[in-house]
Amino acid sequence: MTRRGAFIFSASTGLTSDLRRSAVDGEEVANHIVKLNNNNDTRIVCDDGGCILIELDEMKNMYFRLRNSTIIESSILFCLVIILLFSCSNPSDTNISKDCEPTSFDEIGPFYRPNAPIRNKVGSGYFLKGSVLSTNKCAPLPKAKLEFWLVNSKGEYDDAHRATVFTNSKGKYTFESNRPADYVGRLPHIHMRITAQGYEELITQHYPKEGDVRVDLDIVLSPLLKE
């Protein structure tokens, strides 16, 4: 059987409506319309279910609808690709935490003393650096106040191992100390109290891991709730 397809058909050829409805043999239809002139304005489309007539104007409208639909879908796809590119792009500062969940609270303990000297070094051999950030889009917090206190090499708290540090204009800080010793069965730790205008106070502790001497530690604060 001849492959079915689309054939130019003129209403003046006299193809009956019965033939148009029932013809399933593409060769039969092709033989009937082979004599058509070049001014035809109607197309007959045949498949296994029969043949139908479609005006060329209607076919043009269908074409433009399909084309416009494709353009719209392509535009939407393009916009989605652009959004994904921006959302997955690397931040300009690789030290900024990608996880802006608030830093967990930890006990203040009995040895906190306010008004520790402003300094970023109370010993040597263990380095902390990082950023103080907001839970709101990981925005850095300039002038945030960090208070540190830890035990000396004998496992005792003293004023020589207390410090106050402020973040710079980019929300960054550095702090150097001795590696805190174990005491009373506790793992080595450094106490921290962090405050920033418009944010909840955070009290937490940092636990150095065995073998670490330089650690990146970002602190994330939550904004104060508006009443």
Side-chain angles (χ1 to χ4, degrees):
M1 180 179 289
T2 303
R3 180 183 177 183
R4 294 169 177 77
F7 303 92
I8 298 300
F9 173 79
S10 172
S12 62
T13 61
L15 184 63
T16 67
S17 58
D18 290 339
L19 176 60
R20 290 198 298 270
R21 287 194 300 269
S22 62
V24 295
D25 190 332
E27 184 175 357
E28 177 184 352
V29 176
N31 290 336
H32 186 84
I33 65 176
V34 71
K35 299 178 182 180
L36 301 181
N37 58 40
N38 293 327
N39 296 321
N40 300 321
D41 57 0
T42 307
R43 184 172 295 261
I44 183 168
V45 179
C46 295
D47 60 16
D48 290 338
C51 298
I52 61 170
L53 291 176
I54 301 179
E55 296 292 333
L56 290 184
D57 287 342
E58 182 182 350
M59 294 187 69
K60 290 178 183 178
N61 291 335
M62 291 173 61
Y63 165 76
F64 283 115
R65 284 197 298 270
L66 288 172
R67 188 185 69 171
N68 291 338
S69 175
T70 301
I71 292 173
I72 292 173
E73 291 174 357
S74 299
S75 300
I76 293 173
L77 179 61
F78 175 78
C79 292
L80 289 175
V81 170
I82 295 299
I83 291 172
L84 287 173
L85 287 175
F86 275 101
S87 64
C88 295
S89 60
N90 292 326
S92 57
D93 190 338
T94 56
N95 289 326
I96 297 298
S97 173
K98 295 180 180 179
D99 180 5
C100 284
E101 292 295 321
T103 301
S104 299
F105 165 85
D106 206 335
E107 295 295 333
I108 192 170
F111 299 104
Y112 169 74
R113 301 290 184 271
N115 303 317
I118 298 174
R119 55 190 175 187
N120 63 358
K121 183 175 181 179
V122 295
S124 61
Y126 192 77
F127 300 86
L128 281 178
K129 68 180 182 70
S131 300
V132 177
L133 308 171
S134 169
T135 55
N136 184 11
K137 300 180 181 180
C138 289
L141 300 179
K143 299 182 180 180
K145 180 181 179 181
L146 300 93
E147 298 173 79
F148 298 90
W149 65 103
L150 64 150
V151 297
N152 58 27
S153 59
K154 298 178 180 179
E156 299 171 343
Y157 286 94
D158 59 28
D159 289 340
H161 290 79
R162 305 180 191 276
T164 298
V165 176
F166 289 92
T167 58
N168 64 16
S169 61
K170 296 182 179 179
K172 295 182 177 298
Y173 75 92
T174 60
F175 177 69
E176 182 181 2
S177 70
N178 57 285
R179 184 182 179 85
D182 297 352
Y183 75 95
V184 195
R186 288 209 62 193
L187 294 174
H189 60 278
I190 298 174
H191 292 274
M192 302 173 67
R193 177 177 181 262
I194 305 95
T195 53
Q197 185 174 1
Y199 287 81
E200 295 180 3
E201 173 188 274
L202 172 67
I203 296 170
T204 190
Q205 298 181 35
H206 167 64
Y207 297 86
K209 295 180 180 179
E210 187 68 32
D212 284 351
V213 294
R214 295 180 181 273
V215 176
D216 291 332
L217 179 64
D218 288 347
I219 303 296
V220 183
L221 304 182
S222 299
L224 288 171
L225 296 177
K226 296 181 180 180
E227 297 182 358

